[in-house]
PDB file of all heavy atoms in Angstrom:
ATOM      1  N   PRO Z 114     -29.941   0.264  25.677  1.00  0.00           N
ATOM      2  CA  PRO Z 114     -28.835   1.066  25.128  1.00  0.00           C
ATOM      3  C   PRO Z 114     -27.475   0.785  25.755  1.00  0.00           C
ATOM      4  O   PRO Z 114     -26.458   0.842  25.063  1.00  0.00           O
ATOM      5  CB  PRO Z 114     -29.281   2.502  25.396  1.00  0.00           C
ATOM      6  CG  PRO Z 114     -30.254   2.405  26.517  1.00  0.00           C
ATOM      7  CD  PRO Z 114     -30.956   1.112  26.327  1.00  0.00           C
ATOM      8  N   ILE Z 115     -27.442   0.466  27.038  1.00  0.00           N
ATOM      9  CA  ILE Z 115     -26.158   0.200  27.693  1.00  0.00           C
ATOM     10  C   ILE Z 115     -25.575  -1.111  27.181  1.00  0.00           C
ATOM     11  O   ILE Z 115     -24.388  -1.192  26.821  1.00  0.00           O
ATOM     12  CB  ILE Z 115     -26.316   0.168  29.225  1.00  0.00           C
ATOM     13  CG1 ILE Z 115     -26.889   1.503  29.731  1.00  0.00           C
ATOM     14  CG2 ILE Z 115     -24.966  -0.117  29.887  1.00  0.00           C
ATOM     15  CD1 ILE Z 115     -26.093   2.716  29.328  1.00  0.00           C
ATOM     16  N   GLU Z 116     -26.387  -2.141  27.110  1.00  0.00           N
ATOM     17  CA  GLU Z 116     -25.913  -3.424  26.615  1.00  0.00           C
ATOM     18  C   GLU Z 116     -25.471  -3.322  25.159  1.00  0.00           C
ATOM     19  O   GLU Z 116     -24.438  -3.881  24.769  1.00  0.00           O
ATOM     20  CB  GLU Z 116     -27.002  -4.478  26.760  1.00  0.00           C
ATOM     21  CG  GLU Z 116     -27.332  -4.863  28.192  1.00  0.00           C
ATOM     22  CD  GLU Z 116     -28.321  -3.907  28.864  1.00  0.00           C
ATOM     23  OE1 GLU Z 116     -28.619  -2.836  28.276  1.00  0.00           O
ATOM     24  OE2 GLU Z 116     -28.809  -4.241  29.961  1.00  0.00           O
ATOM     25  N   ALA Z 117     -26.240  -2.586  24.346  1.00  0.00           N
ATOM     26  CA  ALA Z 117     -25.896  -2.443  22.931  1.00  0.00           C
ATOM     27  C   ALA Z 117     -24.589  -1.683  22.748  1.00  0.00           C
ATOM     28  O   ALA Z 117     -23.736  -2.066  21.942  1.00  0.00           O
ATOM     29  CB  ALA Z 117     -27.025  -1.733  22.189  1.00  0.00           C
ATOM     30  N   SER Z 118     -24.416  -0.592  23.499  1.00  0.00           N
ATOM     31  CA  SER Z 118     -23.180   0.188  23.368  1.00  0.00           C
ATOM     32  C   SER Z 118     -21.987  -0.557  23.949  1.00  0.00           C
ATOM     33  O   SER Z 118     -20.864  -0.431  23.449  1.00  0.00           O
ATOM     34  CB  SER Z 118     -23.345   1.560  24.023  1.00  0.00           C
ATOM     35  OG  SER Z 118     -23.798   1.465  25.358  1.00  0.00           O
ATOM     36  N   ASN Z 119     -22.202  -1.363  24.993  1.00  0.00           N
ATOM     37  CA  ASN Z 119     -21.118  -2.205  25.514  1.00  0.00           C
ATOM     38  C   ASN Z 119     -20.639  -3.183  24.447  1.00  0.00           C
ATOM     39  O   ASN Z 119     -19.430  -3.365  24.247  1.00  0.00           O
ATOM     40  CB  ASN Z 119     -21.586  -2.993  26.738  1.00  0.00           C
ATOM     41  CG  ASN Z 119     -21.593  -2.170  28.016  1.00  0.00           C
ATOM     42  OD1 ASN Z 119     -20.957  -1.114  28.082  1.00  0.00           O
ATOM     43  ND2 ASN Z 119     -22.317  -2.622  29.013  1.00  0.00           N
ATOM     44  N   GLU Z 120     -21.597  -3.811  23.765  1.00  0.00           N
ATOM     45  CA  GLU Z 120     -21.256  -4.786  22.735  1.00  0.00           C
ATOM     46  C   GLU Z 120     -20.448  -4.136  21.616  1.00  0.00           C
ATOM     47  O   GLU Z 120     -19.430  -4.670  21.164  1.00  0.00           O
ATOM     48  CB  GLU Z 120     -22.531  -5.418  22.174  1.00  0.00           C
ATOM     49  CG  GLU Z 120     -22.288  -6.503  21.137  1.00  0.00           C
ATOM     50  CD  GLU Z 120     -23.583  -7.093  20.597  1.00  0.00           C
ATOM     51  OE1 GLU Z 120     -24.667  -6.586  20.942  1.00  0.00           O
ATOM     52  OE2 GLU Z 120     -23.493  -8.063  19.824  1.00  0.00           O
ATOM     53  N   CYS Z 121     -20.901  -2.964  21.174  1.00  0.00           N
ATOM     54  CA  CYS Z 121     -20.212  -2.249  20.099  1.00  0.00           C
ATOM     55  C   CYS Z 121     -18.800  -1.847  20.526  1.00  0.00           C
ATOM     56  O   CYS Z 121     -17.831  -2.050  19.789  1.00  0.00           O
ATOM     57  CB  CYS Z 121     -21.028  -1.021  19.705  1.00  0.00           C
ATOM     58  SG  CYS Z 121     -20.312  -0.048  18.364  1.00  0.00           S
ATOM     59  N   ALA Z 122     -18.681  -1.272  21.725  1.00  0.00           N
ATOM     60  CA  ALA Z 122     -17.383  -0.810  22.218  1.00  0.00           C
ATOM     61  C   ALA Z 122     -16.403  -1.965  22.373  1.00  0.00           C
ATOM     62  O   ALA Z 122     -15.210  -1.846  22.039  1.00  0.00           O
ATOM     63  CB  ALA Z 122     -17.563  -0.077  23.541  1.00  0.00           C
ATOM     64  N   GLU Z 123     -16.891  -3.075  22.885  1.00  0.00           N
ATOM     65  CA  GLU Z 123     -16.000  -4.227  23.104  1.00  0.00           C
ATOM     66  C   GLU Z 123     -15.493  -4.810  21.791  1.00  0.00           C
ATOM     67  O   GLU Z 123     -14.332  -5.251  21.696  1.00  0.00           O
ATOM     68  CB  GLU Z 123     -16.737  -5.284  23.929  1.00  0.00           C
ATOM     69  CG  GLU Z 123     -16.892  -4.876  25.396  1.00  0.00           C
ATOM     70  CD  GLU Z 123     -17.938  -5.680  26.137  1.00  0.00           C
ATOM     71  OE1 GLU Z 123     -18.448  -6.668  25.549  1.00  0.00           O
ATOM     72  OE2 GLU Z 123     -18.249  -5.335  27.291  1.00  0.00           O
ATOM     73  N   MET Z 124     -16.338  -4.813  20.761  1.00  0.00           N
ATOM     74  CA  MET Z 124     -15.900  -5.309  19.455  1.00  0.00           C
ATOM     75  C   MET Z 124     -14.785  -4.443  18.889  1.00  0.00           C
ATOM     76  O   MET Z 124     -13.789  -4.942  18.342  1.00  0.00           O
ATOM     77  CB  MET Z 124     -17.084  -5.353  18.490  1.00  0.00           C
ATOM     78  CG  MET Z 124     -18.128  -6.395  18.819  1.00  0.00           C
ATOM     79  SD  MET Z 124     -19.578  -6.317  17.725  1.00  0.00           S
ATOM     80  CE  MET Z 124     -18.860  -6.887  16.176  1.00  0.00           C
ATOM     81  N   ILE Z 125     -14.939  -3.136  19.040  1.00  0.00           N
ATOM     82  CA  ILE Z 125     -13.929  -2.218  18.510  1.00  0.00           C
ATOM     83  C   ILE Z 125     -12.656  -2.262  19.348  1.00  0.00           C
ATOM     84  O   ILE Z 125     -11.538  -2.357  18.824  1.00  0.00           O
ATOM     85  CB  ILE Z 125     -14.512  -0.792  18.446  1.00  0.00           C
ATOM     86  CG1 ILE Z 125     -15.573  -0.727  17.343  1.00  0.00           C
ATOM     87  CG2 ILE Z 125     -13.421   0.247  18.197  1.00  0.00           C
ATOM     88  CD1 ILE Z 125     -16.380   0.538  17.325  1.00  0.00           C
ATOM     89  N   ASP Z 126     -12.820  -2.224  20.670  1.00  0.00           N
ATOM     90  CA  ASP Z 126     -11.649  -2.210  21.549  1.00  0.00           C
ATOM     91  C   ASP Z 126     -10.825  -3.486  21.424  1.00  0.00           C
ATOM     92  O   ASP Z 126      -9.588  -3.451  21.457  1.00  0.00           O
ATOM     93  CB  ASP Z 126     -12.090  -2.013  22.997  1.00  0.00           C
ATOM     94  CG  ASP Z 126     -10.915  -1.853  23.951  1.00  0.00           C
ATOM     95  OD1 ASP Z 126     -10.060  -0.974  23.692  1.00  0.00           O
ATOM     96  OD2 ASP Z 126     -10.837  -2.604  24.939  1.00  0.00           O
ATOM     97  N   SER Z 127     -11.492  -4.622  21.261  1.00  0.00           N
ATOM     98  CA  SER Z 127     -10.757  -5.889  21.176  1.00  0.00           C
ATOM     99  C   SER Z 127      -9.849  -5.936  19.956  1.00  0.00           C
ATOM    100  O   SER Z 127      -8.815  -6.605  19.965  1.00  0.00           O
ATOM    101  CB  SER Z 127     -11.747  -7.062  21.147  1.00  0.00           C
ATOM    102  OG  SER Z 127     -12.535  -7.035  19.968  1.00  0.00           O
ATOM    103  N   HIS Z 128     -10.209  -5.233  18.899  1.00  0.00           N
ATOM    104  CA  HIS Z 128      -9.402  -5.222  17.685  1.00  0.00           C
ATOM    105  C   HIS Z 128      -8.354  -4.112  17.680  1.00  0.00           C
ATOM    106  O   HIS Z 128      -7.322  -4.245  17.005  1.00  0.00           O
ATOM    107  CB  HIS Z 128     -10.301  -5.063  16.452  1.00  0.00           C
ATOM    108  CG  HIS Z 128     -11.050  -6.301  16.082  1.00  0.00           C
ATOM    109  ND1 HIS Z 128     -12.286  -6.616  16.631  1.00  0.00           N
ATOM    110  CD2 HIS Z 128     -10.745  -7.314  15.244  1.00  0.00           C
ATOM    111  CE1 HIS Z 128     -12.701  -7.763  16.123  1.00  0.00           C
ATOM    112  NE2 HIS Z 128     -11.799  -8.216  15.282  1.00  0.00           N
ATOM    113  N   LEU Z 129      -8.601  -3.026  18.405  1.00  0.00           N
ATOM    114  CA  LEU Z 129      -7.712  -1.867  18.300  1.00  0.00           C
ATOM    115  C   LEU Z 129      -6.853  -1.605  19.538  1.00  0.00           C
ATOM    116  O   LEU Z 129      -5.991  -0.732  19.508  1.00  0.00           O
ATOM    117  CB  LEU Z 129      -8.536  -0.605  17.988  1.00  0.00           C
ATOM    118  CG  LEU Z 129      -9.240  -0.585  16.633  1.00  0.00           C
ATOM    119  CD1 LEU Z 129      -9.991   0.742  16.445  1.00  0.00           C
ATOM    120  CD2 LEU Z 129      -8.263  -0.801  15.482  1.00  0.00           C
ATOM    121  N   LYS Z 130      -7.072  -2.341  20.624  1.00  0.00           N
ATOM    122  CA  LYS Z 130      -6.321  -2.039  21.850  1.00  0.00           C
ATOM    123  C   LYS Z 130      -4.826  -2.303  21.707  1.00  0.00           C
ATOM    124  O   LYS Z 130      -4.024  -1.734  22.452  1.00  0.00           O
ATOM    125  CB  LYS Z 130      -6.898  -2.809  23.031  1.00  0.00           C
ATOM    126  CG  LYS Z 130      -6.819  -4.323  22.930  1.00  0.00           C
ATOM    127  CD  LYS Z 130      -7.495  -4.954  24.138  1.00  0.00           C
ATOM    128  CE  LYS Z 130      -7.524  -6.475  24.055  1.00  0.00           C
ATOM    129  NZ  LYS Z 130      -8.237  -7.068  25.212  1.00  0.00           N
ATOM    130  N   THR Z 131      -4.429  -3.144  20.776  1.00  0.00           N
ATOM    131  CA  THR Z 131      -3.004  -3.417  20.572  1.00  0.00           C
ATOM    132  C   THR Z 131      -2.403  -2.576  19.446  1.00  0.00           C
ATOM    133  O   THR Z 131      -1.233  -2.761  19.095  1.00  0.00           O
ATOM    134  CB  THR Z 131      -2.791  -4.907  20.251  1.00  0.00           C
ATOM    135  OG1 THR Z 131      -3.525  -5.251  19.070  1.00  0.00           O
ATOM    136  CG2 THR Z 131      -3.238  -5.780  21.413  1.00  0.00           C
ATOM    137  N   SER Z 132      -3.187  -1.648  18.870  1.00  0.00           N
ATOM    138  CA  SER Z 132      -2.676  -0.814  17.786  1.00  0.00           C
ATOM    139  C   SER Z 132      -1.492   0.030  18.272  1.00  0.00           C
ATOM    140  O   SER Z 132      -1.483   0.527  19.398  1.00  0.00           O
ATOM    141  CB  SER Z 132      -3.778   0.112  17.259  1.00  0.00           C
ATOM    142  OG  SER Z 132      -3.255   1.026  16.302  1.00  0.00           O
ATOM    143  N   GLN Z 133      -0.518   0.206  17.412  1.00  0.00           N
ATOM    144  CA  GLN Z 133       0.649   1.031  17.745  1.00  0.00           C
ATOM    145  C   GLN Z 133       0.352   2.516  17.640  1.00  0.00           C
ATOM    146  O   GLN Z 133       1.135   3.350  18.088  1.00  0.00           O
ATOM    147  CB  GLN Z 133       1.818   0.693  16.815  1.00  0.00           C
ATOM    148  CG  GLN Z 133       1.553   1.011  15.346  1.00  0.00           C
ATOM    149  CD  GLN Z 133       2.741   0.758  14.455  1.00  0.00           C
ATOM    150  OE1 GLN Z 133       3.846   1.218  14.734  1.00  0.00           O
ATOM    151  NE2 GLN Z 133       2.524  -0.009  13.375  1.00  0.00           N
ATOM    152  N   TYR Z 134      -0.813   2.857  17.027  1.00  0.00           N
ATOM    153  CA  TYR Z 134      -1.144   4.269  16.818  1.00  0.00           C
ATOM    154  C   TYR Z 134      -1.982   4.794  17.975  1.00  0.00           C
ATOM    155  O   TYR Z 134      -2.811   4.087  18.542  1.00  0.00           O
ATOM    156  CB  TYR Z 134      -1.896   4.432  15.495  1.00  0.00           C
ATOM    157  CG  TYR Z 134      -1.152   3.826  14.330  1.00  0.00           C
ATOM    158  CD1 TYR Z 134      -1.687   2.742  13.620  1.00  0.00           C
ATOM    159  CD2 TYR Z 134       0.090   4.310  13.951  1.00  0.00           C
ATOM    160  CE1 TYR Z 134      -1.004   2.175  12.559  1.00  0.00           C
ATOM    161  CE2 TYR Z 134       0.795   3.754  12.892  1.00  0.00           C
ATOM    162  CZ  TYR Z 134       0.242   2.669  12.201  1.00  0.00           C
ATOM    163  OH  TYR Z 134       0.932   2.097  11.172  1.00  0.00           O
ATOM    164  N   ARG Z 135      -1.799   6.054  18.303  1.00  0.00           N
ATOM    165  CA  ARG Z 135      -2.407   6.618  19.504  1.00  0.00           C
ATOM    166  C   ARG Z 135      -3.620   7.512  19.240  1.00  0.00           C
ATOM    167  O   ARG Z 135      -4.430   7.729  20.126  1.00  0.00           O
ATOM    168  CB  ARG Z 135      -1.353   7.424  20.299  1.00  0.00           C
ATOM    169  CG  ARG Z 135      -0.165   6.581  20.733  1.00  0.00           C
ATOM    170  CD  ARG Z 135      -0.425   5.868  22.060  1.00  0.00           C
ATOM    171  NE  ARG Z 135      -1.450   4.843  21.995  1.00  0.00           N
ATOM    172  CZ  ARG Z 135      -1.221   3.563  21.656  1.00  0.00           C
ATOM    173  NH1 ARG Z 135      -0.018   3.178  21.322  1.00  0.00           N
ATOM    174  NH2 ARG Z 135      -2.210   2.690  21.641  1.00  0.00           N
ATOM    175  N   ASN Z 136      -3.738   8.082  18.050  1.00  0.00           N
ATOM    176  CA  ASN Z 136      -4.848   8.980  17.765  1.00  0.00           C
ATOM    177  C   ASN Z 136      -6.082   8.155  17.396  1.00  0.00           C
ATOM    178  O   ASN Z 136      -6.092   7.472  16.364  1.00  0.00           O
ATOM    179  CB  ASN Z 136      -4.496   9.942  16.637  1.00  0.00           C
ATOM    180  CG  ASN Z 136      -3.349  10.854  17.018  1.00  0.00           C
ATOM    181  OD1 ASN Z 136      -3.119  11.116  18.202  1.00  0.00           O
ATOM    182  ND2 ASN Z 136      -2.615  11.343  16.031  1.00  0.00           N
ATOM    183  N   ALA Z 137      -7.114   8.216  18.255  1.00  0.00           N
ATOM    184  CA  ALA Z 137      -8.270   7.330  18.115  1.00  0.00           C
ATOM    185  C   ALA Z 137      -9.537   8.125  17.792  1.00  0.00           C
ATOM    186  O   ALA Z 137      -9.793   9.188  18.359  1.00  0.00           O
ATOM    187  CB  ALA Z 137      -8.477   6.538  19.402  1.00  0.00           C
ATOM    188  N   PHE Z 138     -10.336   7.565  16.889  1.00  0.00           N
ATOM    189  CA  PHE Z 138     -11.580   8.203  16.449  1.00  0.00           C
ATOM    190  C   PHE Z 138     -12.671   7.154  16.313  1.00  0.00           C
ATOM    191  O   PHE Z 138     -12.413   6.023  15.877  1.00  0.00           O
ATOM    192  CB  PHE Z 138     -11.372   8.907  15.103  1.00  0.00           C
ATOM    193  CG  PHE Z 138     -12.636   9.429  14.486  1.00  0.00           C
ATOM    194  CD1 PHE Z 138     -13.193  10.625  14.907  1.00  0.00           C
ATOM    195  CD2 PHE Z 138     -13.283   8.724  13.473  1.00  0.00           C
ATOM    196  CE1 PHE Z 138     -14.367  11.114  14.344  1.00  0.00           C
ATOM    197  CE2 PHE Z 138     -14.454   9.197  12.903  1.00  0.00           C
ATOM    198  CZ  PHE Z 138     -14.989  10.391  13.345  1.00  0.00           C
ATOM    199  N   LEU Z 139     -13.885   7.527  16.676  1.00  0.00           N
ATOM    200  CA  LEU Z 139     -15.038   6.633  16.551  1.00  0.00           C
ATOM    201  C   LEU Z 139     -16.187   7.361  15.873  1.00  0.00           C
ATOM    202  O   LEU Z 139     -16.600   8.437  16.316  1.00  0.00           O
ATOM    203  CB  LEU Z 139     -15.498   6.151  17.930  1.00  0.00           C
ATOM    204  CG  LEU Z 139     -16.808   5.344  17.958  1.00  0.00           C
ATOM    205  CD1 LEU Z 139     -16.636   4.010  17.250  1.00  0.00           C
ATOM    206  CD2 LEU Z 139     -17.294   5.141  19.391  1.00  0.00           C
ATOM    207  N   LEU Z 140     -16.698   6.776  14.787  1.00  0.00           N
ATOM    208  CA  LEU Z 140     -17.957   7.212  14.195  1.00  0.00           C
ATOM    209  C   LEU Z 140     -19.036   6.282  14.729  1.00  0.00           C
ATOM    210  O   LEU Z 140     -18.964   5.062  14.563  1.00  0.00           O
ATOM    211  CB  LEU Z 140     -17.899   7.134  12.668  1.00  0.00           C
ATOM    212  CG  LEU Z 140     -19.228   7.456  11.965  1.00  0.00           C
ATOM    213  CD1 LEU Z 140     -19.630   8.906  12.184  1.00  0.00           C
ATOM    214  CD2 LEU Z 140     -19.144   7.134  10.471  1.00  0.00           C
ATOM    215  N   ASN Z 141     -20.045   6.870  15.362  1.00  0.00           N
ATOM    216  CA  ASN Z 141     -21.093   6.114  16.025  1.00  0.00           C
ATOM    217  C   ASN Z 141     -22.434   6.485  15.401  1.00  0.00           C
ATOM    218  O   ASN Z 141     -22.837   7.655  15.430  1.00  0.00           O
ATOM    219  CB  ASN Z 141     -21.074   6.448  17.526  1.00  0.00           C
ATOM    220  CG  ASN Z 141     -22.224   5.835  18.263  1.00  0.00           C
ATOM    221  OD1 ASN Z 141     -22.518   4.669  18.108  1.00  0.00           O
ATOM    222  ND2 ASN Z 141     -22.892   6.637  19.081  1.00  0.00           N
ATOM    223  N   LEU Z 142     -23.131   5.519  14.811  1.00  0.00           N
ATOM    224  CA  LEU Z 142     -24.403   5.745  14.128  1.00  0.00           C
ATOM    225  C   LEU Z 142     -25.493   4.959  14.839  1.00  0.00           C
ATOM    226  O   LEU Z 142     -25.392   3.742  14.990  1.00  0.00           O
ATOM    227  CB  LEU Z 142     -24.308   5.324  12.665  1.00  0.00           C
ATOM    228  CG  LEU Z 142     -23.205   6.028  11.855  1.00  0.00           C
ATOM    229  CD1 LEU Z 142     -23.076   5.399  10.477  1.00  0.00           C
ATOM    230  CD2 LEU Z 142     -23.473   7.522  11.750  1.00  0.00           C
ATOM    231  N   ILE Z 143     -26.552   5.665  15.258  1.00  0.00           N
ATOM    232  CA  ILE Z 143     -27.567   5.110  16.148  1.00  0.00           C
ATOM    233  C   ILE Z 143     -28.923   5.105  15.445  1.00  0.00           C
ATOM    234  O   ILE Z 143     -29.298   6.075  14.777  1.00  0.00           O
ATOM    235  CB  ILE Z 143     -27.663   5.949  17.437  1.00  0.00           C
ATOM    236  CG1 ILE Z 143     -26.287   6.038  18.115  1.00  0.00           C
ATOM    237  CG2 ILE Z 143     -28.698   5.382  18.396  1.00  0.00           C
ATOM    238  CD1 ILE Z 143     -26.226   7.073  19.222  1.00  0.00           C
ATOM    239  N   SER Z 144     -29.675   4.038  15.636  1.00  0.00           N
ATOM    240  CA  SER Z 144     -31.040   3.988  15.127  1.00  0.00           C
ATOM    241  C   SER Z 144     -31.855   5.140  15.692  1.00  0.00           C
ATOM    242  O   SER Z 144     -31.903   5.354  16.905  1.00  0.00           O
ATOM    243  CB  SER Z 144     -31.691   2.652  15.506  1.00  0.00           C
ATOM    244  OG  SER Z 144     -33.040   2.625  15.094  1.00  0.00           O
TER     245      SER Z 144
END
Side-chain angles (χ1 to χ4, degrees):
I115 302 304
E116 292 84 351
S118 53
N119 280 343
E120 183 181 6
C121 181
E123 287 163 8
M124 291 175 69
I125 290 170
D126 186 54
S127 65
H128 285 87
L129 295 181
K130 63 183 177 182
T131 59
S132 174
Q133 64 176 309
Y134 306 116
R135 300 274 67 87
N136 297 335
F138 172 80
L139 173 67
L140 175 66
N141 173 47
L142 302 172
I143 304 168
S144 176

